[in-house]
Amino acid sequence: MLKTETPSTQHPQLDLYPVEALVDALVDDQALAAQAVKAVSASICVAVEAMTPRVAAGGRLVYVGAGTSGRLGILDSVELSPTFSWPPERAMALLAGGLGAMFQAVEGAEDDRNKGSSDLRLLYPNYNDVILLVAASGTTPYVLGALQAARTVGALTIGIANNPGTPLLGGADIGICLDTGAEVISGSTRLKAGTAQKILLNTLSSALMVRLHKVYGNLMVDLHPTNIKLVERAVHLTMHATGATEAAARAALEQSHFHVKTAIVVLLKHLPADQAQALLDATDGNLRTALD
């Protein structure tokens, strides 16, 4: 039996717990998710190093999963655009059962291996694409079908599962096992297995974006300010990076179409916005190199 399906020995009387003990049991079990991710940090480093040159060469991130795992993939993919101005067409997600399964379970969708394969083929994957395949069990047919299609074209495949020795981990170019063990509510992998998956996906995509020069120091300098909160964040980031006044930061951002990187170059290199942008383009968006 898979570890994630094995009833937990820790809390066999969970339904009898008073609320305080019940909450403590759930929270304490979730804390183990971070430990599971930390335990495979070496594999995560290997994945980031493999992902970076392919994506830098124009590859896409494609997340594939079913149920909770698939929904977590969608979440990570859609947040890359506002956070890093990453093109939405270069961060895509496939969910067994289609996008409608984001909100309502589609019975049996995860069991269709051929559909996983055909859904991925419809995206016309290529060598530079990175396919992130997520399945707590490590055996989900839909995800394995997508894996097979990705391997056919030589795309980089990263398998993420919560059970060791499973087909997804063995078949992917890089297999990362988040060994979270039994769930406090037996088999409910939306709990710490899902939490560990989210931590890992956040880590992979964020580390990738840092390596692609989307971050300066620890500042989110490539954000896409699509609302009032993000506009104010852009102003404060520009102020923090340059020491400029709020008025000067706003003026530089307005000249730079509210692109923080460009505004920083405008202020620190004393250039007009078009020349600042040209300098960034010449350095592949590397703000440190542009400023040097």
Side-chain angles (χ1 to χ4, degrees):
M1 182 181 289
L2 297 172
K3 282 189 175 183
T4 54
E5 296 296 325
T6 303
S8 173
T9 60
Q10 297 298 310
H11 304 283
Q13 303 297 322
L14 187 71
D15 63 323
L16 300 178
Y17 285 10
V19 69
E20 295 85 357
L22 174 60
V23 169
D24 284 346
L26 291 165
V27 172
D28 289 347
D29 202 57
Q30 286 280 323
L32 299 175
Q35 295 178 25
V37 181
K38 183 66 176 176
V40 293
S41 58
S43 296
I44 299 171
C45 292
V46 170
V48 173
E49 294 287 4
M51 294 165 68
T52 302
R54 298 219 193 188
V55 177
R60 300 170 295 176
L61 294 173
V62 181
Y63 300 74
V64 183
T68 296
S69 300
R71 295 181 188 105
L72 290 170
I74 291 175
L75 180 63
D76 204 63
S77 70
V78 300
E79 291 184 343
L80 295 180
S81 180
T83 306
F84 302 108
S85 292
W86 190 249
E89 64 274 14
R90 293 184 64 194
M92 313 174 79
L94 294 176
L95 175 61
L99 290 180
M102 186 74 183
F103 305 101
Q104 184 172 353
V106 177
E107 298 299 331
E110 69 175 56
D111 297 327
D112 193 338
R113 185 179 181 122
N114 290 334
K115 182 63 171 170
S117 178
S118 63
D119 281 355
L120 187 67
R121 288 199 306 270
L122 286 173
L123 298 182
Y124 298 99
N126 62 67
Y127 176 81
N128 284 324
D129 288 340
V130 175
I131 317 300
L132 296 158
L133 303 122
V134 192
S137 68
T139 62
T140 306
Y142 180 88
V143 177
L144 294 177
L147 170 63
Q148 182 180 24
R151 292 298 302 268
T152 299
V153 298
L156 177 65
T157 55
I158 299 175
I160 300 164
N162 297 81
N163 289 283
T166 46
L168 177 58
L169 298 177
D173 295 309
I174 299 170
I176 303 177
C177 180
L178 301 170
D179 193 358
T180 45
E183 296 287 358
V184 65
I185 297 176
S186 302
S188 183
T189 52
R190 60 179 284 273
L191 297 175
K192 69 175 180 288
T195 301
Q197 290 172 9
K198 186 176 194 306
I199 295 171
L200 176 58
L201 292 174
N202 281 171
T203 301
L204 286 172
S205 59
S206 297
L208 174 66
M209 293 298 139
V210 172
R211 302 297 285 177
L212 294 175
H213 316 304
K214 297 287 186 178
V215 174
Y216 175 62
N218 64 350
L219 304 181
M220 191 193 303
V221 293
D222 241 341
L223 84 162
H224 184 49
T226 54
N227 57 41
I228 293 173
K229 178 190 73 175
L230 293 180
V231 167
E232 293 305 309
R233 182 180 296 168
V235 171
H236 289 293
L237 287 170
T238 304
M239 293 169 63
H240 185 88
T242 64
T245 64
E246 182 176 348
R250 286 187 184 277
L253 284 164
E254 287 170 0
Q255 296 170 37
S256 308
H257 305 288
F258 268 83
H259 185 216
V260 175
K261 273 188 185 176
T262 308
I264 291 171
V265 176
V266 166
L267 289 164
L268 293 182
K269 300 288 282 187
H270 308 290
L271 293 173
D274 58 342
Q275 292 182 29
Q277 185 60 59
L279 184 57
L280 283 167
D281 292 341
T283 59
D284 293 322
N286 189 328
L287 180 54
R288 284 195 183 276
T289 301
L291 292 175
D292 290 341

